[in-house]
Amino acid sequence: MKSIAEIFDNSKELLDSISNFIDKYIGSSLLRKCGITKVIDSVTEKTTFEYADNPLSRLIGTVKESKFLEKCVSAKQLLTDKVLVGFAAASPYRMFKTGNFFRDYKKDTFYRFDLMPRANWERLQLEAAGNVIRDMESQTDKNHTCALIFDDSLYARTGGKGTDLCGRVFDHNDHKMRTGYRMMTGGWTNGEVFLPFSQTLLTTRDNSLMVGRDTPVDRRTIRGRRRAAAKEKGTDTVCRMVREAKKSGIPFDFVLFDTWFSNPAQLVELKGMEVDTIAMIKKNSTKYLWTAPETGEIGRLDVKEIYSRNKKRRGKSRYLLSVNVTVVDSEGTAIPAKLVYARNHSNRKDWVCFVCTDTSLSEKEILEAYMLRWQIETYFKLTKSYLKLRTECHSTSYDAITSHMVIVAIRYMILAVERFKNSDNRTIEELFYGVQREIVNELMDCAIVLMIDTLLDSIREYYNASECQIAELVSLFISKLPENWKNRFQMPKVA
């Protein structure tokens, strides 16, 4: 029995939210559906363990005795620990080496969790995000806009020669070729909360740019389908993610993306799926069918020519120009759309153009809806800077990297849910530091209690002190502590 009972500061709401999130939105049943099961930690030989007696064994006539006893760690426990290490100050490797890890299983057990051959991590993220979204929508009114946001970001890898499917990919930020993957991300937002529901690490389709291993895998397996998806075109991946979102019942009004995906073929394909799009378009040579308002003449013009042939709005208007056009793909399929021109905030003399395939929306609604797209950029920044997206996983397995990417997304969802549930004014970064601070305090409290209990056991053994004397010593010790330290410990009862 401990002489000093540990009391954590405050109520540990953020730490509790991690286990509550996994119990409520994931659970053991979803983990089993995704092929994520328990991991064997160790095997003990020559035990007296016997298989339980049951009707089948009685029918066979024998009750077998096992020569081995397996110690297993549940999938839910491993997933919880995977989420927790993202908020700890030290790396999992350092925590295992110094013996300060949360649990008592082996290091290999922790890392083998990412390498399950039948684990469908993509489904886990989609189902978990869908459960969170449906729960949030049931708690809010229907007078708000929901949208899907798609974009990619560089997932850099140093070297990459031994990493599966690692290649030279184009980085849109600095317009250079980098070693790694393009992390294609699909997220859902209701204007207040952003939740990543699907992610894929895209690599190059050019064999000359492939840096890492490209080992053939049976495409009928989950690992094979995952590697096939890694070589898809970015536009095909976006359409696939939209279909998955519709199939899982995620509600949304339209799709948002940047100029890299706003080509006519993409707009037409999404419209064929009964999905409307709002996107920024490039000032390139892509032609749109436009009808002159004065003469009724129909011409194929690019966005620059359409801008130059129309009268712009004067003053401090929210937009400069709005025209209705027809978008035509290479196969001749045509859909109506609206082009909205607005001033470029970076250069007031310049302009940017947006396209919307829902012509019933006003120009104000189009511009306000597109502003939601910035939330995916903050997601990339937060996961890379705070949630250890690039620094925690050093595995060379494509499956392990995918697992790590999904776990980082779950960490972000936990913080987003906590902020939504409490109507918290704090940012995601402040919530992250709150969780990290509580984990550090918990480890420090455990270490302090262990040291004091060891000291008291030594005093009890060396001086043959009674429990009453030990309690008086502890009370005297706690009374001399500062006030903020006294609240962390419980005063023992003195007889």
Side-chain angles (χ1 to χ4, degrees):
M1 183 176 179
K2 297 293 184 182
S3 301
I4 300 179
E6 181 183 4
I7 294 181
F8 296 140
D9 54 329
N10 301 325
S11 60
K12 301 299 181 186
E13 294 179 358
L14 292 177
L15 279 176
D16 293 340
S17 66
I18 296 176
S19 58
N20 292 338
F21 179 93
I22 294 177
D23 291 337
K24 183 176 182 180
Y25 300 114
I26 297 179
S28 301
S29 59
L30 179 56
L31 291 173
R32 285 193 298 269
K33 289 179 182 178
C34 298
I36 303 172
T37 57
K38 60 186 178 181
V39 178
I40 298 176
D41 181 44
S42 61
V43 177
T44 305
E45 297 186 25
K46 297 181 180 179
T47 67
T48 58
F49 175 80
E50 293 183 354
Y51 291 109
D53 189 17
N54 55 63
L56 181 60
S57 63
R58 288 197 296 269
L59 181 63
I60 297 174
T62 58
V63 179
K64 296 182 179 180
E65 186 174 305
S66 174
K67 294 182 179 179
F68 303 98
L69 177 61
E70 296 177 349
K71 176 186 175 183
C72 299
V73 185
S74 67
K76 185 190 293 187
Q77 185 65 71
L78 284 167
L79 179 61
T80 303
D81 294 342
K82 283 282 184 180
V83 173
L84 274 174
V85 295
F87 301 99
S91 65
Y93 171 80
R94 182 60 58 184
M95 294 171 71
F96 273 110
K97 190 172 183 179
T98 56
N100 292 326
F101 195 70
F102 312 118
R103 314 296 169 191
D104 60 349
Y105 52 76
K106 297 178 181 179
K107 179 178 65 175
D108 291 343
T109 304
F110 180 80
Y111 290 116
R112 278 191 286 118
F113 183 67
D114 295 327
L115 300 173
M116 293 183 182
R118 297 182 180 179
N120 193 339
W121 296 102
E122 296 85 351
R123 181 183 178 184
L124 175 65
Q125 181 178 355
L126 179 64
E127 294 290 340
N131 293 337
V132 175
I133 291 169
R134 284 184 287 271
D135 183 44
M136 286 186 176
E137 287 295 281
S138 66
Q139 302 178 42
T140 56
D141 56 35
K142 305 303 179 183
N143 298 325
H144 63 271
T145 299
C146 297
L148 300 184
I149 310 172
F150 295 94
D151 201 357
D152 63 344
S153 180
L154 177 67
Y155 188 100
R157 297 284 295 188
T158 304
K161 288 186 178 181
T163 306
D164 293 342
L165 299 180
C166 188
R168 300 278 295 172
V169 295
F170 185 73
D171 184 12
H172 295 160
N173 291 330
D174 56 8
H175 304 282
K176 293 181 180 180
M177 299 296 292
R178 301 293 186 186
T179 302
Y181 309 93
R182 291 169 55 202
M183 188 176 69
M184 181 65 69
T185 302
W188 174 90
T189 182
N190 60 357
E192 181 181 355
V193 180
F194 176 84
L195 295 171
F197 69 88
S198 184
Q199 290 176 290
T200 300
L201 291 172
L202 298 179
T203 186
T204 180
R205 300 188 303 277
D206 188 351
N207 292 331
S208 63
L209 297 177
M210 184 67 69
V211 178
R213 300 186 301 261
D214 189 6
T215 307
V217 180
D218 189 352
R219 296 190 64 171
R220 295 171 296 180
T221 63
I222 292 177
R223 297 176 69 242
R225 292 196 298 268
R226 182 178 295 145
R227 281 157 174 74
K231 296 184 178 181
E232 287 182 338
K233 293 176 61 177
T235 52
D236 295 339
T237 303
V238 169
C239 293
R240 174 175 57 81
M241 289 180 175
V242 172
R243 286 192 292 268
E244 291 175 351
K246 293 186 66 177
K247 185 177 180 180
S248 62
I250 296 178
F252 63 95
D253 300 309
F254 37 74
V255 173
L256 307 175
F257 43 73
D258 205 354
T259 57
W260 299 105
F261 311 101
S262 58
N263 56 77
Q266 182 87 336
L267 300 177
V268 171
E269 184 174 0
L270 290 174
K271 190 66 175 181
M273 298 165 54
E274 299 181 351
V275 174
D276 289 312
T277 303
I278 299 176
M280 184 184 293
I281 55 179
K282 295 180 180 180
K283 300 177 184 179
N284 54 15
S285 59
T286 303
K287 305 293 184 180
Y288 302 90
L289 292 179
W290 171 73
T291 303
E294 298 176 354
T295 62
E297 180 183 357
I298 301 177
R300 294 178 63 87
L301 307 175
D302 59 35
V303 291
K304 294 181 181 179
E305 295 171 330
I306 294 174
Y307 182 78
S308 62
R309 296 193 183 190
N310 285 272
K311 184 178 180 181
K312 271 67 72 178
R313 294 166 61 92
R314 296 181 178 274
K316 296 183 179 180
S317 174
R318 292 178 63 90
Y319 66 97
L320 298 173
L321 175 65
S322 176
V323 295
N324 291 325
V325 297
T326 302
V327 179
V328 184
D329 65 359
S330 58
E331 298 179 356
T333 306
I335 59 171
K338 179 184 288 189
L339 298 183
V340 179
Y341 295 80
R343 288 185 178 88
N344 188 350
H345 291 292
S346 301
N347 183 4
R348 300 293 294 177
K349 296 182 180 180
D350 194 13
W351 51 267
V352 291
C353 184
F354 304 92
V355 62
C356 178
T357 57
D358 184 1
T359 56
S360 63
L361 293 179
S362 66
E363 292 78 9
K364 179 182 178 181
E365 291 173 328
I366 293 173
L367 296 177
E368 289 180 349
Y370 188 79
M371 291 173 61
L372 299 176
R373 198 203 69 83
W374 186 252
Q375 295 185 23
I376 198 170
E377 302 292 350
T378 60
Y379 168 75
F380 291 144
K381 177 64 176 179
L382 285 167
T383 52
K384 293 179 180 179
S385 301
Y386 297 96
L387 300 182
K388 304 182 181 180
L389 176 64
R390 294 188 297 185
T391 59
E392 185 177 273
C393 181
H394 300 282
S395 176
T396 59
S397 169
Y398 183 77
D399 302 306
I401 299 173
T402 301
S403 166
H404 171 66
M405 176 182 65
V406 172
I407 289 171
V408 169
I410 292 175
R411 293 171 186 166
Y412 183 91
M413 283 191 276
I414 292 172
L415 295 177
V417 168
E418 186 67 21
R419 187 167 181 260
F420 172 81
K421 182 174 62 177
N422 297 328
S423 299
D424 206 323
N425 293 325
R426 291 178 291 176
T427 62
I428 298 293
E429 299 99 312
E430 291 171 325
L431 289 172
F432 164 79
Y433 282 121
V435 175
Q436 188 181 62
R437 185 166 51 251
E438 290 184 355
I439 291 178
V440 172
N441 288 341
E442 180 180 358
L443 295 176
M444 288 182 60
D445 289 347
C446 292
I448 292 172
V449 170
L450 177 62
M451 292 176 61
I452 295 177
D453 280 327
T454 304
L455 176 62
L456 294 177
D457 289 339
S458 302
I459 294 174
R460 187 182 293 109
E461 179 180 352
Y462 189 82
Y463 291 102
N464 294 323
S466 64
E467 293 300 324
C468 181
Q469 292 174 324
I470 293 294
E472 291 177 354
L473 178 62
V474 171
S475 299
L476 179 62
F477 171 74
I478 294 179
S479 64
K480 294 183 178 297
L481 291 175
E483 289 297 328
N484 58 334
W485 279 84
K486 289 181 182 179
N487 298 328
R488 301 169 78 101
F489 303 104
Q490 181 178 349
M491 189 74 72
K493 295 181 180 179
V494 181

